[in-house]
Amino acid sequence: MAETAEVMIWTSPDRVPLVDETLKLMGPSVRPIGVGGPRLAEIDQLAQRLDCPREDDLRKLLVDRPAQFVLLASMDDASRDDVLAAVGQGSTVLALEPIASNFDQLPPVAVAVKPVAPPLGAHAPGSAQATGVQGTDTGNRTGKGRIIWVPAFEKSSGWISAAYAEQELGGVEFISVSSFGQANDCSLFARLYDAWRIILMLDDLSEQTTASLSGPLREVPEDPRGITGHLGVHTRLTNGRTAVLQVSDRAGRSGRVVQIIGDRGHLCVSEAGYRLYDAVGRCLDKSTEASQQPPSYAQLIASHWADLIDRLPTAQPPKPLRVTDDAVLACCLASLLSTRTGDPESPQKFLDLHNRV
């Protein structure tokens, strides 16, 4: 039986219920040894329930007792340097939110990682060979800690079970990513970031992106951490392909769905399963009924986390990057700028500006 993994928790008040549910699902496989976040009652109460030390400084929380895992449920009052300090101490940081909201905050390449297995569509005709994220879960290149994007869609049972189906699609022509839920699971920025990760695992960097934001905001903020509501993105990919992203942090039903249409077939993948159709709509294969209740966000986190714990003894060295932080962030920032200007924007221009600095 594997040893119980120790975990430090950093959260905001609105994510406390998510942290509670996730820890319950993980059961005895993890043991909280510290709780941190802004000095607010909800976080104080979480620390009391878990009988853990309480701090409002992430670096201080980690100094006396480095943990195997850091559950980073929020970036409120946390900085990139705090996260890198955890990585430097050998912790695996489970990031539920993007570490960086601008290029100055990006972690160095040494702590970026790639999926442990080739994602669906990685070898499809015309797909990307290697673009570039704070990614999934093989570790960084320092041999110490690592940053892992959780819950990664490519770790869902639906994505994994549909791995063979790319062979039935032919040349990919259209990709759609939908990610809906509530703000107490993750931010709209996190959903946008996650959706762009999926697009970049399937294709090259977007050539042009047009986006619009609806919801409660009267003005679109410059900082992507400030967005909320419903965001639609239409993007032109390479070789005439098209992608559409739909994300919301104010939707009644949560879940992520990826649809890939090729010249020979149509694949619909949810977190729980998939359906594969031929070009005329006949169902060739499926792994679940479409009406099946999708897993909760906490269940997705716990599933990915449990998989990491199970593989700890046999973890392999990191492989070359496929999707990088700067590429995903460039797509997010181009989308956000388009919501303000109303015009198409180029992620490549953001990357070029970043690389010239």
Side-chain angles (χ1 to χ4, degrees), residues 21-30 301-303 305-307 309:
E21 185 182 352
T22 301
L23 292 175
K24 288 176 183 176
L25 290 167
M26 293 301 294
S29 63
V30 299
I301 296 168
S303 176
W305 193 357
D307 178 67
I309 292 173

Side-chain angles (χ1 to χ4, degrees), residues 103 130-132 196 200 203-210 235-238 324-335 337 344-357:
F103 288 113
T131 45
W196 273 116
L200 291 180
D203 211 299
D204 293 313
L205 192 68
S206 166
E207 293 181 351
Q208 280 195 327
T209 291
T210 304
T235 187
R236 186 173 69 198
L237 301 173
T238 56
T324 57
D325 284 308
D326 57 355
V328 180
L329 184 58
C331 291
C332 291
L333 294 177
S335 303
L337 180 59
E345 302 294 343
S346 168
Q348 187 62 55
K349 289 184 179 179
F350 279 87
L351 277 181
D352 291 343
L353 287 171
H354 167 57
N355 292 331
R356 284 202 296 267
V357 174

Side-chain angles (χ1 to χ4, degrees), residues 108-339:
V109 173
V111 297
V113 298
K114 86 172 274 296
V116 67
L120 184 65
H123 306 298
S127 66
Q129 294 302 310
T131 45
V133 136
Q134 159 195 317
T136 314
D137 63 17
T138 58
N140 63 60
R141 298 182 183 185
T142 66
K144 294 183 180 179
R146 52 188 177 164
I147 301 171
I148 297 175
W149 180 256
V150 177
F153 188 76
E154 66 269 18
K155 290 298 179 182
S156 67
S157 60
W159 186 271
I160 292 170
S161 62
Y164 84 96
E166 63 177 281
Q167 304 168 16
E168 308 297 326
L169 297 178
V172 173
E173 299 174 344
F174 179 84
I175 304 168
S176 168
V177 179
S178 299
S179 177
F180 299 148
Q182 293 285 316
N184 54 5
D185 286 336
C186 67
S187 67
L188 185 62
F189 178 33
R191 290 193 180 276
L192 179 64
Y193 192 97
D194 183 57
W196 273 116
R197 285 185 71 251
I198 297 168
I199 295 293
L200 291 180
M201 286 193 297
L202 294 167
D203 211 299
D204 293 313
L205 192 68
S206 166
E207 293 181 351
Q208 280 195 327
T209 291
T210 304
S212 61
L213 178 69
S214 60
L217 299 179
R218 294 185 178 180
E219 295 182 358
V220 180
E222 293 188 9
D223 187 339
R225 295 200 194 281
I227 59 174
T228 184
H230 322 288
L231 182 63
V233 182
H234 180 276
T235 187
R236 186 173 69 198
L237 301 173
T238 56
N239 298 324
R241 290 187 291 272
T242 299
V244 174
L245 296 74
Q246 301 170 296
V247 293
S248 174
D249 66 345
R250 291 171 174 262
R253 182 179 172 89
S254 65
R256 294 175 290 183
V257 176
V258 175
Q259 300 202 57
I260 308 169
I261 301 176
D263 54 17
R264 297 202 312 265
H266 176 188
L267 178 65
C268 180
V269 188
S270 70
E271 288 150 336
Y274 72 93
R275 288 193 174 194
L276 175 65
Y277 303 90
D278 67 12
V280 296
R282 289 179 299 230
C283 185
L284 302 177
D285 194 15
K286 63 182 179 180
S287 66
T288 185
E289 293 298 324
S291 60
Q292 180 173 324
Q293 182 69 22
S296 69
Y297 209 72
Q299 287 173 321
L300 294 172
I301 296 168
S303 176
H304 191 166
W305 193 357
D307 178 67
L308 288 170
I309 292 173
D310 289 343
R311 290 192 291 105
L312 282 176
T314 58
Q316 298 296 315
K319 299 178 182 179
L321 300 177
R322 174 176 173 76
V323 183
T324 57
D325 284 308
D326 57 355
V328 180
L329 184 58
C331 291
C332 291
L333 294 177
S335 303
L336 190 60
L337 180 59
S338 179
T339 65

